[in-house]
């Protein structure tokens, strides 16, 4: 089973600040995803990233969000100006063979916006 | 709006019993179906995936898919206290987006 490491495990930030969440897959993968889960709510799809570009994004993924693979290994999610409602667990996930296969999740980053 | 519906539970079963978890989905074009287990405060962990109508067995777990009824289920045989968790049903259509249900909480009583 592929492994995904996320950093930091917990981040507290002030409203309006920028945050960058990082994801490092152990081995090379083509399909990357970000999900979030607000406490007590559903896991929600944010964005998928394939072949070094966004392949699909949800309505949640507005102009405040961006993703990139700056060095070909790390996969990052940036929130430009955080809001209180951005407080959630953010999960990075990787896909194995194709876009319709299962995703393996990292352990998550808990983001708290104060 | 594409939806995945699950009974929130809690579903309580005695140790050794069969736990049956159900899920319905709204998008007839859905192609891939997944069951994840999520312990409190942890990330979702993939248990089963199924793409074709019928049953798929893996150890104590059996996933069942009925596309005509838009229905997916997960059976857990010989339930153990360690199976106590929230079980998430997830569905993918022809694209990259996965839609998750809210999950069913399962309690296995020792």
């Amino acid at each position: 089973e592929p492994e995904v490491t996320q950093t930091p495990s917990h981040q507290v930030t002030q409203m309006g600040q920028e945050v960058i969440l990082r994801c490092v897959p152990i081995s090379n993968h083509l399909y990357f995803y970000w999900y979030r889960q607000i406490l007590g709510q559903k896991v929600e799809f944010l964005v998928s990233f394939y072949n070094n570009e966004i392949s699909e994004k949800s309505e949640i993924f507005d102009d405040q969000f961006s993703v990139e693979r700056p060095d070909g290994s790390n996969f990052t999610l940036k929130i430009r100006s955080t809001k209180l409602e951005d407080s959630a667990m953010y999960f990075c996930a990787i896909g194995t063979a194709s876009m319709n296969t299962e995703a393996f999740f990292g352990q998550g980053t808990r983001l708290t916006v104060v | 709006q594409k939806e995945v519906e699950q009974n929130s539970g809690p579903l309580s079963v005695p140790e050794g019993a069969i736990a049956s978890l159900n899920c319905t989905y709204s998008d007839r074009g859905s192609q891939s179906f997944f069951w994840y287990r999520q312990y409190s405060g942890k990330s979702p962990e993939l248990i089963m995936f199924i793409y074709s109508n019928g049953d798929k067995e893996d150890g104590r777990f059996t996933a069942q898919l009925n596309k005509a009824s838009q229905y997916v289920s997960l059976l857990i045989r010989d339930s153990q206290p360690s199976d106590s968790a929230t079980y998430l049903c997830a569905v993918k259509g022809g694209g990259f987006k996965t839609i998750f249900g809210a999950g069913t909480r399962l309690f296995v009583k020792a």
Side-chain angles (χ1 to χ4, degrees):
Chain A
E1 181 178 308
E3 292 184 2
V4 182
T5 301
Q6 289 186 243
T7 58
S9 57
H10 189 190
Q11 175 140 10
V12 180
T13 189
Q14 289 201 325
M15 192 169 51
Q17 294 298 304
E18 175 183 285
V19 295
I20 297 176
L21 310 182
R22 291 184 169 81
C23 170
V24 182
I26 297 300
S27 53
N28 288 332
H29 291 278
L30 293 176
Y31 301 88
F32 300 87
Y33 307 86
W34 283 102
Y35 293 85
R36 80 172 185 190
Q37 188 175 30
I38 296 171
L39 186 63
Q41 297 189 25
K42 294 183 183 184
V43 174
E44 299 175 292
F45 170 84
L46 293 178
V47 66
S48 59
F49 193 82
Y50 167 65
N51 206 22
N52 291 322
E53 61 182 25
I54 290 175
S55 49
E56 191 166 351
K57 60 183 180 179
S58 72
E59 51 281 355
I60 301 169
F61 195 87
D62 60 22
D63 292 344
Q64 292 299 311
F65 292 89
S66 62
V67 290
E68 62 177 4
R69 282 191 81 192
D71 56 8
S73 60
N74 290 314
F75 179 49
T76 63
L77 174 70
K78 182 191 292 186
I79 309 175
R80 276 183 252 288
S81 178
T82 50
K83 307 183 191 70
L84 294 177
E85 55 264 37
D86 293 326
S87 296
M89 281 291 286
Y90 288 81
F91 296 111
C92 170
I94 55 175
T96 52
S98 74
M99 64 180 181
N100 279 328
T101 55
E102 66 281 12
F104 294 93
F105 282 70
Q107 82 279 16
T109 292
R110 178 171 298 284
L111 176 65
T112 302
V113 182
V114 297
Chain B
Q1 182 78 354
K2 298 173 183 175
E3 300 279 349
V4 176
E5 299 289 340
Q6 295 181 255
N7 187 321
S8 62
L11 173 65
S12 184
V13 301
E15 183 175 359
I18 296 175
S20 178
L21 305 161
N22 305 312
C23 168
T24 58
Y25 59 94
S26 63
D27 181 12
R28 282 200 171 273
S30 299
Q31 298 183 9
S32 311
F33 307 86
F34 310 96
W35 283 100
Y36 288 86
R37 178 174 61 198
Q38 188 175 31
Y39 293 110
S40 180
K42 302 295 186 183
S43 60
E45 174 193 4
L46 181 72
I47 298 175
M48 293 284 291
F49 59 90
I50 186 167
Y51 303 140
S52 305
N53 275 330
D55 294 0
K56 180 182 178 182
E57 187 174 318
D58 183 1
R60 297 187 295 113
F61 299 99
T62 299
Q64 299 174 316
L65 174 60
N66 183 326
K67 288 187 177 181
S69 301
Q70 295 175 241
Y71 177 88
V72 196
S73 65
L74 178 71
L75 300 177
I76 307 174
R77 286 180 298 281
D78 188 24
S79 296
Q80 301 297 310
S82 58
D83 294 326
S84 298
T86 297
Y87 288 80
L88 309 178
C89 175
V91 174
K92 263 190 174 178
F96 294 87
K97 181 177 182 178
T98 301
I99 299 173
F100 282 79
T104 298
R105 285 190 299 149
L106 172 67
F107 288 113
V108 180
K109 298 173 292 186

